[in-house]
Amino acid sequence: MTTELILRRPDDWHLHLRDGAMLRAVLPESARHFARAIIMPNLVPPVVTAADARAYRDRILAALPAGQAFEPLMTLYLTEATDPDDVAAAKAEGLVTAVKLYPAGATTNSQSGVRDFDKVRGVLERMAEIGLPLCVHGEVTDAEIDIFDREAAFIDRVLDPIRRATPGLRVIMEHITTRDGVDYVRGGGPDIAGTLTVHHLIINRNHILAGGIRPHYYCLPVAKREEHRLALRAAAVSGDPSFFLGTDSAPHVDAAKETGCGCAGCFTATNAMALLAHVFEEEGALDRLEGFVSLHGPAFYRLPPNEATIRLVKRDAATRWPAKLDTGDGPVTIFDPGFDVCWDVA
Ligand code: NCD
Ligand code: ZN
């Protein structure tokens, strides 16, 4: 039985770090295990320009505790007013690694996102030319589309048309939650990849709703039926380099989750790597964990994999994490998988 794993240091290809006191509290949780992360730009106001990204990167680096190494890979929030020249300059300077597309209204702080996709055509064409990838929140926002169908509808109505209209644009379909998403990425050729979160490999929609509403399992895209969770697991452990980890760790204080209209987001930065070791072991695929967390992402983003390593150990007793992370803004509940996990990062 495997009780120790040494992997190249992993990266997180989709992470929410927030700002201020929340940033200071959650950043060490990611930096402890991950070398780099794609940093989501959905602050209030969002990170839209190169100047915004530079200032946010500086705030992240200033919040990093002495002795921790971590490279924030910055993204720009695509709006209908985004200037292609500003994006190209940010890429040329090495400041940004991707641009993020939120359909307007799809999720937390996405009001400034895109309504009319024709308005961003020029930016997308420029990105294809200069080799800057597009990260996509893949849900339509039309009120008449059922929330459980929004990802599948997005593929047909938005994602596929964008890709056909912009040959050469490299796209990451983020936090895939359906078999439809897995199938689209798997059959989509070298210019598309998909990220998978830890929590979507663990929960289905029953975890949110059966036996009482559990706000800490509510995130967007919302967890779907069990058949979809199984498709995500199969993709994660398949060894297919089109799939890699993006935790979408998205902290909200308990007061904003445990309320009449709770925010979407699961906070998994603290235990993501241990939970993944558990999942990959369950699937008999521990030998493929390194590809998923440390190799496939850099290959798609055309970055070198990390040279440093991380050690995971499996102990006899269950690993215990605190229930909450204290932040200056209030407590944040750490994702509870609902079963014992004996893996830990040593
Ligand atoms: C994210 C957040 O809180 O910023 N929430 C979430 O449920 N994942 C936004 C997002 O990535 O959709
Ligand atoms: Zn997210």
Side-chain angles (χ1 to χ4, degrees):
M1 194 181 71
T2 311
T3 54
E4 184 188 65
L5 272 180
I6 301 204
L7 309 178
R8 279 183 194 259
R9 211 165 175 79
D11 302 303
D12 184 350
W13 300 96
H14 180 132
L15 176 64
H16 298 270
L17 285 179
R18 316 298 191 205
D19 218 337
M22 182 66 85
L23 167 64
R24 286 192 290 280
V26 300
L27 175 59
E29 299 297 294
S30 286
R32 194 170 293 136
H33 301 159
F34 296 96
R36 298 172 289 198
I38 286 276
I39 308 301
M40 285 297 119
N42 63 331
L43 304 181
V44 188
V47 178
V48 173
T49 64
D52 297 338
R54 194 176 299 112
Y56 186 31
R57 184 192 58 189
D58 291 348
R59 295 199 297 281
I60 293 169
L61 293 175
L64 191 63
Q68 275 193 333
F70 179 77
E71 186 183 355
L73 303 173
M74 306 308 292
T75 62
L76 298 177
Y77 186 120
L78 183 62
T79 73
E80 292 178 4
T82 294
D83 173 6
D85 289 337
D86 184 61
V87 172
K91 146 93 171 146
E93 185 190 326
L95 177 64
V96 300
T97 304
V99 170
K100 172 74 187 231
L101 166 65
Y102 287 102
T107 185
T108 313
N109 305 331
S110 62
Q111 299 84 341
S112 331
V114 178
R115 283 183 178 77
D116 178 354
F117 289 89
D118 285 337
K119 297 211 171 113
V120 296
R121 183 152 312 250
V123 183
L124 298 181
E125 280 166 6
R126 189 67 166 277
M127 288 167 58
E129 260 168 56
I130 63 178
L132 185 62
L134 180 71
C135 295
V136 173
H137 182 109
E139 288 189 289
V140 294
T141 52
D142 323 35
E144 75 273 16
I145 307 270
D146 189 276
I147 187 168
F148 292 102
D149 298 332
R150 288 180 180 186
E151 183 171 290
F154 182 86
I155 296 170
D156 297 336
R157 294 185 182 191
V158 183
L159 182 56
D160 201 54
I162 284 181
R163 294 189 58 230
R164 284 177 195 281
T166 328
L169 179 67
R170 282 181 310 125
V171 176
I172 300 96
M173 185 175 180
E174 302 192 281
H175 42 50
I176 300 176
T177 59
T178 58
R179 177 189 302 282
D180 313 70
V182 168
D183 289 346
Y184 185 75
V185 167
R186 190 182 278 134
D191 289 340
I192 184 141
T195 60
L196 298 165
T197 75
V198 177
H199 50 283
H200 288 113
L201 300 178
I202 292 175
I203 62 166
N204 64 32
R205 63 192 197 176
N206 287 352
H207 292 81
I208 313 169
L209 295 170
I213 289 188
R214 292 194 172 67
H216 297 292
Y217 290 149
Y218 173 62
C219 68
L220 287 171
V222 71
K224 309 294 192 300
R225 286 179 180 274
E226 177 66 357
E227 65 178 280
H228 295 292
R229 185 186 74 99
L230 296 177
L232 304 179
R233 278 206 172 212
V237 304
S238 66
D240 182 336
S242 314
F243 298 100
F244 44 87
L245 174 66
T247 65
D248 195 14
S249 180
H252 293 277
V253 293
D254 284 353
K257 298 275 301 171
E258 300 169 2
T259 178
C261 182
C263 293
C266 297
F267 178 69
T268 54
T270 305
N271 50 8
M273 284 307 302
L275 301 192
L276 283 173
H278 180 97
V279 166
F280 274 66
E281 183 178 49
E282 262 182 2
E283 299 291 333
L286 275 177
D287 57 328
R288 294 185 173 166
L289 181 58
E290 185 177 49
F292 183 69
V293 300
S294 313
L295 298 174
H296 303 167
F300 189 81
Y301 276 95
R302 300 179 178 162
L303 294 168
N306 300 308
E307 288 301 332
T309 55
I310 189 175
R311 191 163 73 97
L312 288 150
V313 292
K314 187 180 182 189
R315 303 199 179 92
D316 292 333
T319 311
R320 298 280 167 223
W321 291 277
K324 295 172 194 300
L325 177 74
D326 284 320
T327 82
D329 293 340
V332 170
T333 292
I334 296 170
F335 181 76
D336 174 3
F339 47 76
D340 279 353
V341 170
C342 295
W343 286 95
D344 198 3
V345 180

mmCIF file of all heavy atoms in Angstrom, residues 292-333:
data_model
loop_
_atom_site.group_PDB
_atom_site.id
_atom_site.type_symbol
_atom_site.label_atom_id
_atom_site.label_comp_id
_atom_site.label_asym_id
_atom_site.label_seq_id
_atom_site.Cartn_x
_atom_site.Cartn_y
_atom_site.Cartn_z
ATOM 1 N N PHE A 292 -2.018 15.446 -13.189
ATOM 2 C CA PHE A 292 -3.204 16.304 -13.004
ATOM 3 C C PHE A 292 -2.872 17.600 -12.264
ATOM 4 O O PHE A 292 -3.380 18.669 -12.606
ATOM 5 C CB PHE A 292 -4.264 15.506 -12.240
ATOM 6 C CG PHE A 292 -5.562 16.239 -12.042
ATOM 7 C CD1 PHE A 292 -6.402 16.521 -13.109
ATOM 8 C CD2 PHE A 292 -5.952 16.645 -10.771
ATOM 9 C CE1 PHE A 292 -7.607 17.201 -12.926
ATOM 10 C CE2 PHE A 292 -7.150 17.327 -10.572
ATOM 11 C CZ PHE A 292 -7.982 17.611 -11.657
ATOM 12 N N VAL A 293 -2.028 17.519 -11.250
ATOM 13 C CA VAL A 293 -1.787 18.712 -10.423
ATOM 14 C C VAL A 293 -0.519 19.480 -10.800
ATOM 15 O O VAL A 293 -0.403 20.656 -10.452
ATOM 16 C CB VAL A 293 -1.747 18.368 -8.905
ATOM 17 C CG1 VAL A 293 -3.064 17.759 -8.458
ATOM 18 C CG2 VAL A 293 -0.573 17.459 -8.546
ATOM 19 N N SER A 294 0.429 18.826 -11.477
ATOM 20 C CA SER A 294 1.746 19.465 -11.651
ATOM 21 C C SER A 294 2.260 19.524 -13.085
ATOM 22 O O SER A 294 3.216 20.260 -13.343
ATOM 23 C CB SER A 294 2.805 18.728 -10.811
ATOM 24 O OG SER A 294 2.353 18.491 -9.507
ATOM 25 N N LEU A 295 1.693 18.774 -14.004
ATOM 26 C CA LEU A 295 2.281 18.701 -15.353
ATOM 27 C C LEU A 295 1.355 19.181 -16.465
ATOM 28 O O LEU A 295 1.786 19.895 -17.373
ATOM 29 C CB LEU A 295 2.718 17.247 -15.648
ATOM 30 C CG LEU A 295 3.797 16.687 -14.710
ATOM 31 C CD1 LEU A 295 4.049 15.207 -15.004
ATOM 32 C CD2 LEU A 295 5.091 17.475 -14.830
ATOM 33 N N HIS A 296 0.091 18.780 -16.439
ATOM 34 C CA HIS A 296 -0.792 19.112 -17.565
ATOM 35 C C HIS A 296 -1.044 20.618 -17.665
ATOM 36 O O HIS A 296 -1.120 21.164 -18.772
ATOM 37 C CB HIS A 296 -2.138 18.385 -17.438
ATOM 38 C CG HIS A 296 -2.025 16.902 -17.358
ATOM 39 N ND1 HIS A 296 -3.079 16.088 -16.990
ATOM 40 C CD2 HIS A 296 -0.986 16.061 -17.598
ATOM 41 C CE1 HIS A 296 -2.688 14.822 -17.001
ATOM 42 N NE2 HIS A 296 -1.422 14.774 -17.360
ATOM 43 N N GLY A 297 -1.184 21.276 -16.528
ATOM 44 C CA GLY A 297 -1.461 22.714 -16.530
ATOM 45 C C GLY A 297 -0.318 23.511 -17.142
ATOM 46 O O GLY A 297 -0.519 24.285 -18.088
ATOM 47 N N PRO A 298 0.919 23.320 -16.633
ATOM 48 C CA PRO A 298 2.039 24.050 -17.233
ATOM 49 C C PRO A 298 2.175 23.766 -18.724
ATOM 50 O O PRO A 298 2.493 24.672 -19.500
ATOM 51 C CB PRO A 298 3.264 23.531 -16.460
ATOM 52 C CG PRO A 298 2.719 23.009 -15.183
ATOM 53 C CD PRO A 298 1.307 22.564 -15.432
ATOM 54 N N ALA A 299 1.934 22.524 -19.133
ATOM 55 C CA ALA A 299 2.082 22.198 -20.556
ATOM 56 C C ALA A 299 1.094 23.017 -21.376
ATOM 57 O O ALA A 299 1.457 23.599 -22.407
ATOM 58 C CB ALA A 299 1.874 20.705 -20.782
ATOM 59 N N PHE A 300 -0.153 23.118 -20.926
ATOM 60 C CA PHE A 300 -1.144 23.877 -21.702
ATOM 61 C C PHE A 300 -0.796 25.364 -21.707
ATOM 62 O O PHE A 300 -0.934 26.045 -22.724
ATOM 63 C CB PHE A 300 -2.557 23.658 -21.159
ATOM 64 C CG PHE A 300 -3.607 24.260 -22.065
ATOM 65 C CD1 PHE A 300 -4.041 23.601 -23.204
ATOM 66 C CD2 PHE A 300 -4.130 25.520 -21.802
ATOM 67 C CE1 PHE A 300 -4.980 24.169 -24.067
ATOM 68 C CE2 PHE A 300 -5.072 26.105 -22.653
ATOM 69 C CZ PHE A 300 -5.493 25.420 -23.786
ATOM 70 N N TYR A 301 -0.363 25.871 -20.565
ATOM 71 C CA TYR A 301 -0.029 27.300 -20.465
ATOM 72 C C TYR A 301 1.365 27.622 -21.013
ATOM 73 O O TYR A 301 1.796 28.774 -20.984
ATOM 74 C CB TYR A 301 -0.141 27.769 -19.012
ATOM 75 C CG TYR A 301 -1.553 28.151 -18.596
ATOM 76 C CD1 TYR A 301 -2.398 27.252 -17.970
ATOM 77 C CD2 TYR A 301 -2.031 29.434 -18.845
ATOM 78 C CE1 TYR A 301 -3.694 27.610 -17.599
ATOM 79 C CE2 TYR A 301 -3.321 29.802 -18.480
ATOM 80 C CZ TYR A 301 -4.143 28.895 -17.857
ATOM 81 O OH TYR A 301 -5.418 29.259 -17.496
ATOM 82 N N ARG A 302 2.074 26.593 -21.473
ATOM 83 C CA ARG A 302 3.419 26.758 -22.049
ATOM 84 C C ARG A 302 4.384 27.370 -21.035
ATOM 85 O O ARG A 302 5.136 28.302 -21.320
ATOM 86 C CB ARG A 302 3.359 27.579 -23.332
ATOM 87 C CG ARG A 302 2.473 26.889 -24.374
ATOM 88 C CD ARG A 302 2.352 27.651 -25.664
ATOM 89 N NE ARG A 302 1.521 26.905 -26.619
ATOM 90 C CZ ARG A 302 0.957 27.434 -27.690
ATOM 91 N NH1 ARG A 302 1.120 28.714 -27.966
ATOM 92 N NH2 ARG A 302 0.218 26.705 -28.492
ATOM 93 N N LEU A 303 4.320 26.837 -19.834
ATOM 94 C CA LEU A 303 5.231 27.241 -18.759
ATOM 95 C C LEU A 303 5.979 25.989 -18.299
ATOM 96 O O LEU A 303 5.462 24.874 -18.424
ATOM 97 C CB LEU A 303 4.438 27.815 -17.575
ATOM 98 C CG LEU A 303 3.710 29.133 -17.841
ATOM 99 C CD1 LEU A 303 2.735 29.447 -16.715
ATOM 100 C CD2 LEU A 303 4.726 30.264 -18.002
ATOM 101 N N PRO A 304 7.184 26.162 -17.744
ATOM 102 C CA PRO A 304 7.895 24.978 -17.257
ATOM 103 C C PRO A 304 7.226 24.424 -16.000
ATOM 104 O O PRO A 304 6.686 25.197 -15.204
ATOM 105 C CB PRO A 304 9.296 25.520 -16.925
ATOM 106 C CG PRO A 304 9.111 26.981 -16.724
ATOM 107 C CD PRO A 304 7.936 27.411 -17.553
ATOM 108 N N PRO A 305 7.246 23.099 -15.819
ATOM 109 C CA PRO A 305 6.738 22.562 -14.548
ATOM 110 C C PRO A 305 7.667 22.967 -13.411
ATOM 111 O O PRO A 305 8.815 23.344 -13.643
ATOM 112 C CB PRO A 305 6.747 21.048 -14.759
ATOM 113 C CG PRO A 305 7.678 20.798 -15.889
ATOM 114 C CD PRO A 305 7.762 22.052 -16.712
ATOM 115 N N ASN A 306 7.165 22.910 -12.198
ATOM 116 C CA ASN A 306 7.981 23.298 -11.046
ATOM 117 C C ASN A 306 9.077 22.271 -10.797
ATOM 118 O O ASN A 306 8.866 21.074 -10.991
ATOM 119 C CB ASN A 306 7.094 23.435 -9.806
ATOM 120 C CG ASN A 306 6.032 24.490 -10.009
ATOM 121 O OD1 ASN A 306 6.344 25.617 -10.382
ATOM 122 N ND2 ASN A 306 4.771 24.125 -9.796
ATOM 123 N N GLU A 307 10.219 22.745 -10.331
ATOM 124 C CA GLU A 307 11.323 21.834 -10.004
ATOM 125 C C GLU A 307 11.224 21.345 -8.561
ATOM 126 O O GLU A 307 11.603 20.222 -8.254
ATOM 127 C CB GLU A 307 12.680 22.531 -10.216
ATOM 128 C CG GLU A 307 13.037 22.751 -11.682
ATOM 129 C CD GLU A 307 13.096 21.455 -12.498
ATOM 130 O OE1 GLU A 307 13.379 20.379 -11.923
ATOM 131 O OE2 GLU A 307 12.839 21.508 -13.715
ATOM 132 N N ALA A 308 10.710 22.185 -7.670
ATOM 133 C CA ALA A 308 10.615 21.782 -6.262
ATOM 134 C C ALA A 308 9.578 20.663 -6.133
ATOM 135 O O ALA A 308 8.803 20.412 -7.054
ATOM 136 C CB ALA A 308 10.220 22.976 -5.415
ATOM 137 N N THR A 309 9.574 20.000 -4.989
ATOM 138 C CA THR A 309 8.652 18.880 -4.786
ATOM 139 C C THR A 309 7.807 19.097 -3.534
ATOM 140 O O THR A 309 8.064 19.985 -2.715
ATOM 141 C CB THR A 309 9.420 17.549 -4.631
ATOM 142 O OG1 THR A 309 10.359 17.705 -3.568
ATOM 143 C CG2 THR A 309 10.139 17.179 -5.909
ATOM 144 N N ILE A 310 6.801 18.250 -3.413
ATOM 145 C CA ILE A 310 5.918 18.255 -2.259
ATOM 146 C C ILE A 310 5.787 16.788 -1.829
ATOM 147 O O ILE A 310 5.820 15.894 -2.673
ATOM 148 C CB ILE A 310 4.554 18.853 -2.651
ATOM 149 C CG1 ILE A 310 3.668 19.080 -1.449
ATOM 150 C CG2 ILE A 310 3.835 18.008 -3.666
ATOM 151 C CD1 ILE A 310 2.352 19.786 -1.833
ATOM 152 N N ARG A 311 5.655 16.569 -0.535
ATOM 153 C CA ARG A 311 5.541 15.183 -0.053
ATOM 154 C C ARG A 311 4.179 14.972 0.587
ATOM 155 O O ARG A 311 3.769 15.736 1.469
ATOM 156 C CB ARG A 311 6.648 14.878 0.968
ATOM 157 C CG ARG A 311 6.758 13.403 1.315
ATOM 158 C CD ARG A 311 8.098 13.090 1.983
ATOM 159 N NE ARG A 311 8.130 13.590 3.347
ATOM 160 C CZ ARG A 311 7.867 12.845 4.424
ATOM 161 N NH1 ARG A 311 7.589 11.565 4.305
ATOM 162 N NH2 ARG A 311 7.909 13.388 5.631
ATOM 163 N N LEU A 312 3.481 13.963 0.113
ATOM 164 C CA LEU A 312 2.180 13.595 0.691
ATOM 165 C C LEU A 312 2.361 12.291 1.449
ATOM 166 O O LEU A 312 3.059 11.386 0.967
ATOM 167 C CB LEU A 312 1.148 13.397 -0.425
ATOM 168 C CG LEU A 312 0.695 14.679 -1.115
ATOM 169 C CD1 LEU A 312 0.310 14.415 -2.560
ATOM 170 C CD2 LEU A 312 -0.489 15.287 -0.379
ATOM 171 N N VAL A 313 1.750 12.208 2.626
ATOM 172 C CA VAL A 313 1.852 10.968 3.400
ATOM 173 C C VAL A 313 0.464 10.484 3.770
ATOM 174 O O VAL A 313 -0.467 11.282 3.949
ATOM 175 C CB VAL A 313 2.673 11.165 4.702
ATOM 176 C CG1 VAL A 313 4.121 11.436 4.381
ATOM 177 C CG2 VAL A 313 2.082 12.278 5.555
ATOM 178 N N LYS A 314 0.333 9.175 3.861
ATOM 179 C CA LYS A 314 -0.921 8.583 4.322
ATOM 180 C C LYS A 314 -0.672 7.968 5.691
ATOM 181 O O LYS A 314 0.210 7.127 5.849
ATOM 182 C CB LYS A 314 -1.393 7.504 3.354
ATOM 183 C CG LYS A 314 -2.769 7.003 3.707
ATOM 184 C CD LYS A 314 -3.237 5.933 2.753
ATOM 185 C CE LYS A 314 -4.639 5.501 3.137
ATOM 186 N NZ LYS A 314 -5.051 4.321 2.366
ATOM 187 N N ARG A 315 -1.451 8.439 6.665
ATOM 188 C CA ARG A 315 -1.256 7.962 8.034
ATOM 189 C C ARG A 315 -2.377 6.990 8.396
ATOM 190 O O ARG A 315 -3.345 6.835 7.657
ATOM 191 C CB ARG A 315 -1.258 9.143 9.005
ATOM 192 C CG ARG A 315 -0.187 10.196 8.658
ATOM 193 C CD ARG A 315 0.138 11.103 9.836
ATOM 194 N NE ARG A 315 1.179 12.057 9.467
ATOM 195 C CZ ARG A 315 0.928 13.284 8.978
ATOM 196 N NH1 ARG A 315 -0.311 13.713 8.833
ATOM 197 N NH2 ARG A 315 1.934 14.085 8.646
ATOM 198 N N ASP A 316 -2.238 6.339 9.559
ATOM 199 C CA ASP A 316 -3.282 5.399 9.998
ATOM 200 C C ASP A 316 -4.527 6.142 10.444
ATOM 201 O O ASP A 316 -5.642 5.689 10.232
ATOM 202 C CB ASP A 316 -2.759 4.539 11.163
ATOM 203 C CG ASP A 316 -1.666 3.601 10.670
ATOM 204 O OD1 ASP A 316 -1.694 3.263 9.463
ATOM 205 O OD2 ASP A 316 -0.784 3.241 11.462
ATOM 206 N N ALA A 317 -4.316 7.284 11.068
ATOM 207 C CA ALA A 317 -5.469 8.037 11.596
ATOM 208 C C ALA A 317 -5.892 9.113 10.599
ATOM 209 O O ALA A 317 -5.097 9.567 9.776
ATOM 210 C CB ALA A 317 -5.075 8.684 12.917
ATOM 211 N N ALA A 318 -7.163 9.489 10.708
ATOM 212 C CA ALA A 318 -7.690 10.527 9.814
ATOM 213 C C ALA A 318 -7.005 11.859 10.086
ATOM 214 O O ALA A 318 -6.721 12.200 11.238
ATOM 215 C CB ALA A 318 -9.195 10.666 10.014
ATOM 216 N N THR A 319 -6.741 12.593 9.018
ATOM 217 C CA THR A 319 -6.197 13.950 9.151
ATOM 218 C C THR A 319 -7.317 14.861 9.626
ATOM 219 O O THR A 319 -8.445 14.766 9.155
ATOM 220 C CB THR A 319 -5.684 14.447 7.784
ATOM 221 O OG1 THR A 319 -4.862 13.435 7.211
ATOM 222 C CG2 THR A 319 -4.894 15.734 7.926
ATOM 223 N N ARG A 320 -7.007 15.722 10.579
ATOM 224 C CA ARG A 320 -8.027 16.671 11.078
ATOM 225 C C ARG A 320 -7.624 18.079 10.679
ATOM 226 O O ARG A 320 -6.525 18.528 11.006
ATOM 227 C CB ARG A 320 -8.138 16.599 12.599
ATOM 228 C CG ARG A 320 -8.577 15.258 13.122
ATOM 229 C CD ARG A 320 -10.087 15.077 13.010
ATOM 230 N NE ARG A 320 -10.446 13.687 13.232
ATOM 231 C CZ ARG A 320 -11.338 12.999 12.511
ATOM 232 N NH1 ARG A 320 -11.982 13.586 11.504
ATOM 233 N NH2 ARG A 320 -11.595 11.735 12.770
ATOM 234 N N TRP A 321 -8.521 18.749 9.983
ATOM 235 C CA TRP A 321 -8.305 20.163 9.692
ATOM 236 C C TRP A 321 -9.223 20.969 10.585
ATOM 237 O O TRP A 321 -10.286 20.478 10.989
ATOM 238 C CB TRP A 321 -8.634 20.468 8.226
ATOM 239 C CG TRP A 321 -7.651 19.864 7.288
ATOM 240 C CD1 TRP A 321 -6.438 20.375 6.934
ATOM 241 C CD2 TRP A 321 -7.774 18.615 6.590
ATOM 242 N NE1 TRP A 321 -5.796 19.528 6.056
ATOM 243 C CE2 TRP A 321 -6.596 18.446 5.831
ATOM 244 C CE3 TRP A 321 -8.750 17.616 6.535
ATOM 245 C CZ2 TRP A 321 -6.373 17.330 5.032
ATOM 246 C CZ3 TRP A 321 -8.530 16.508 5.737
ATOM 247 C CH2 TRP A 321 -7.353 16.376 4.998
ATOM 248 N N PRO A 322 -8.850 22.199 10.880
ATOM 249 C CA PRO A 322 -9.797 23.027 11.625
ATOM 250 C C PRO A 322 -11.080 23.182 10.808
ATOM 251 O O PRO A 322 -11.042 23.101 9.572
ATOM 252 C CB PRO A 322 -9.081 24.372 11.765
ATOM 253 C CG PRO A 322 -7.743 24.240 11.144
ATOM 254 C CD PRO A 322 -7.630 22.903 10.486
ATOM 255 N N ALA A 323 -12.207 23.375 11.464
ATOM 256 C CA ALA A 323 -13.466 23.576 10.738
ATOM 257 C C ALA A 323 -13.452 24.912 10.011
ATOM 258 O O ALA A 323 -14.068 25.053 8.955
ATOM 259 C CB ALA A 323 -14.644 23.509 11.706
ATOM 260 N N LYS A 324 -12.756 25.875 10.601
ATOM 261 C CA LYS A 324 -12.806 27.232 10.035
ATOM 262 C C LYS A 324 -11.429 27.863 9.993
ATOM 263 O O LYS A 324 -10.565 27.556 10.814
ATOM 264 C CB LYS A 324 -13.728 28.108 10.884
ATOM 265 C CG LYS A 324 -15.175 27.646 10.829
ATOM 266 C CD LYS A 324 -16.039 28.402 11.822
ATOM 267 C CE LYS A 324 -17.387 27.723 12.031
ATOM 268 N NZ LYS A 324 -18.210 27.592 10.833
ATOM 269 N N LEU A 325 -11.265 28.758 9.040
ATOM 270 C CA LEU A 325 -10.092 29.614 8.982
ATOM 271 C C LEU A 325 -10.518 30.985 9.474
ATOM 272 O O LEU A 325 -11.493 31.557 8.958
ATOM 273 C CB LEU A 325 -9.596 29.711 7.529
ATOM 274 C CG LEU A 325 -8.406 30.641 7.293
ATOM 275 C CD1 LEU A 325 -7.117 30.016 7.822
ATOM 276 C CD2 LEU A 325 -8.248 30.951 5.793
ATOM 277 N N ASP A 326 -9.809 31.501 10.471
ATOM 278 C CA ASP A 326 -10.155 32.842 10.955
ATOM 279 C C ASP A 326 -9.551 33.881 10.036
ATOM 280 O O ASP A 326 -8.381 33.789 9.661
ATOM 281 C CB ASP A 326 -9.632 33.032 12.381
ATOM 282 C CG ASP A 326 -10.518 32.298 13.371
ATOM 283 O OD1 ASP A 326 -11.752 32.325 13.189
ATOM 284 O OD2 ASP A 326 -9.971 31.670 14.292
ATOM 285 N N THR A 327 -10.343 34.862 9.669
ATOM 286 C CA THR A 327 -9.826 35.968 8.859
ATOM 287 C C THR A 327 -10.229 37.263 9.554
ATOM 288 O O THR A 327 -11.147 37.266 10.382
ATOM 289 C CB THR A 327 -10.420 35.962 7.428
ATOM 290 O OG1 THR A 327 -11.709 36.591 7.447
ATOM 291 C CG2 THR A 327 -10.545 34.559 6.867
ATOM 292 N N GLY A 328 -9.595 38.332 9.167
ATOM 293 C CA GLY A 328 -9.949 39.636 9.738
ATOM 294 C C GLY A 328 -11.368 40.054 9.404
ATOM 295 O O GLY A 328 -11.925 40.957 10.035
ATOM 296 N N ASP A 329 -11.959 39.396 8.410
ATOM 297 C CA ASP A 329 -13.340 39.715 8.020
ATOM 298 C C ASP A 329 -14.356 38.791 8.685
ATOM 299 O O ASP A 329 -15.561 38.991 8.518
ATOM 300 C CB ASP A 329 -13.501 39.594 6.492
ATOM 301 C CG ASP A 329 -12.711 40.658 5.740
ATOM 302 O OD1 ASP A 329 -12.361 41.680 6.348
ATOM 303 O OD2 ASP A 329 -12.442 40.449 4.543
ATOM 304 N N GLY A 330 -13.877 37.756 9.380
ATOM 305 C CA GLY A 330 -14.774 36.771 9.985
ATOM 306 C C GLY A 330 -14.327 35.378 9.596
ATOM 307 O O GLY A 330 -13.428 35.217 8.768
ATOM 308 N N PRO A 331 -14.956 34.327 10.203
ATOM 309 C CA PRO A 331 -14.541 32.951 9.904
ATOM 310 C C PRO A 331 -14.982 32.495 8.515
ATOM 311 O O PRO A 331 -16.044 32.882 8.036
ATOM 312 C CB PRO A 331 -15.242 32.134 10.992
ATOM 313 C CG PRO A 331 -16.396 32.976 11.431
ATOM 314 C CD PRO A 331 -16.005 34.410 11.220
ATOM 315 N N VAL A 332 -14.128 31.669 7.899
ATOM 316 C CA VAL A 332 -14.438 31.031 6.615
ATOM 317 C C VAL A 332 -14.440 29.524 6.856
ATOM 318 O O VAL A 332 -13.471 28.983 7.399
ATOM 319 C CB VAL A 332 -13.369 31.378 5.551
ATOM 320 C CG1 VAL A 332 -13.544 30.520 4.302
ATOM 321 C CG2 VAL A 332 -13.413 32.861 5.204
ATOM 322 N N THR A 333 -15.509 28.843 6.473
ATOM 323 C CA THR A 333 -15.592 27.393 6.673
ATOM 324 C C THR A 333 -14.745 26.667 5.642
ATOM 325 O O THR A 333 -14.835 26.934 4.440
ATOM 326 C CB THR A 333 -17.061 26.927 6.599
ATOM 327 O OG1 THR A 333 -17.742 27.448 7.744
ATOM 328 C CG2 THR A 333 -17.164 25.411 6.604
#
